[in-house]
Amino acid sequence: MGPAATAGSAMANDKDTTDWELRLGFLIHDVSRLRRSAFDRVLKPLSVTRSQWWVLAYLSREDGMTQSELAEKLDLGKVAIGGLIDRLEKSGLVRRDPDATDRRVNRIFLEPKSKQLIARMRKLNHKLNEQILAGLANDKLEHTAKTLDAMKHNLLRYLQSEA
């Protein structure tokens, strides 16, 4: 095989790699978008938005977070998180309490009513996941989760290095 053939093979491999990388990116995006749409449909009868669900989900793991912590975890601005908390507070799902040591800081707590809603949403989420993951073997799912987790950490490391 001459140099021209070797160069041609390298170019073909580069094209194949580029096509595969593009395809992977599109698949990750499409699966994420479609799952969000399906989850929105599941939540609609509960009159809860996906953004509200995320606030409730984070608080269910760490009740009493500050508005700033929630904004950071959800990658939202302070105005956006404030509006979400306003709506959740009006619905009786959360309450704002001033921080014990810094009155300028609000801590967000779940109200008892939200705990029942969170339990219902988790059941609906579980049912949706059963449909989404139907026919997929556990070992493949575990491998996929590990791969996506590694990709997430690589992306976080990249973004932190560019800051």
Side-chain angles (χ1 to χ4, degrees), residues 108-121:
I108 314 305
F109 292 92
L110 294 172
E111 291 288 22
K113 175 181 173 182
S114 66
K115 294 178 183 173
Q116 295 167 350
L117 178 63
I118 291 167
R120 288 179 63 199
M121 289 189 293

Side-chain angles (χ1 to χ4, degrees), residues 48 51-67 70 74 84-85 87-97 106-119 121-122:
V48 176
S51 297
Q52 291 170 330
W53 155 245
W54 282 114
V55 170
L56 295 173
Y58 272 95
L59 288 172
S60 72
R61 288 186 226 128
E62 191 178 338
D63 205 12
M65 294 175 73
T66 68
Q67 280 186 222
L70 275 169
L74 295 169
L84 278 168
I85 293 168
R87 288 187 291 286
L88 289 167
E89 198 171 30
K90 284 179 188 168
S91 299
L93 297 170
V94 301
R95 75 176 187 281
R96 283 181 173 104
D97 286 346
N106 282 319
R107 294 203 170 267
I108 314 305
F109 292 92
L110 294 172
E111 291 288 22
K113 175 181 173 182
S114 66
K115 294 178 183 173
Q116 295 167 350
L117 178 63
I118 291 167
M121 289 189 293
R122 284 188 173 147

Side-chain angles (χ1 to χ4, degrees), residues 35-148:
R35 189 184 187 291
R36 283 192 311 267
S37 295
F39 195 61
D40 287 345
R41 184 183 295 176
V42 165
L43 290 179
K44 191 172 185 158
L46 300 177
S47 300
V48 176
T49 67
R50 188 177 348 112
S51 297
Q52 291 170 330
W53 155 245
W54 282 114
V55 170
L56 295 173
Y58 272 95
L59 288 172
S60 72
R61 288 186 226 128
E62 191 178 338
D63 205 12
M65 294 175 73
T66 68
Q67 280 186 222
S68 296
E69 289 169 336
L70 275 169
E72 185 178 319
K73 296 245 186 222
L74 295 169
D75 198 24
L76 292 172
K78 290 182 181 181
V79 173
I81 195 70
L84 278 168
I85 293 168
D86 286 344
R87 288 187 291 286
L88 289 167
E89 198 171 30
K90 284 179 188 168
S91 299
L93 297 170
V94 301
R95 75 176 187 281
R96 283 181 173 104
D97 286 346
D99 184 80
T101 58
D102 186 348
R103 294 269 181 213
R104 296 169 297 169
V105 174
N106 282 319
R107 294 203 170 267
I108 314 305
F109 292 92
L110 294 172
E111 291 288 22
K113 175 181 173 182
S114 66
K115 294 178 183 173
Q116 295 167 350
L117 178 63
I118 291 167
R120 288 179 63 199
M121 289 189 293
R122 284 188 173 147
K123 284 180 187 174
L124 292 170
N125 184 53
H126 180 73
K127 279 183 166 180
L128 177 63
N129 282 335
E130 283 180 338
Q131 290 180 295
I132 293 169
L133 304 174
L136 301 174
N138 279 343
D139 61 332
K140 289 196 183 269
L141 292 172
E142 287 175 19
H143 183 73
T144 301
K146 286 178 184 176
T147 300
L148 289 171

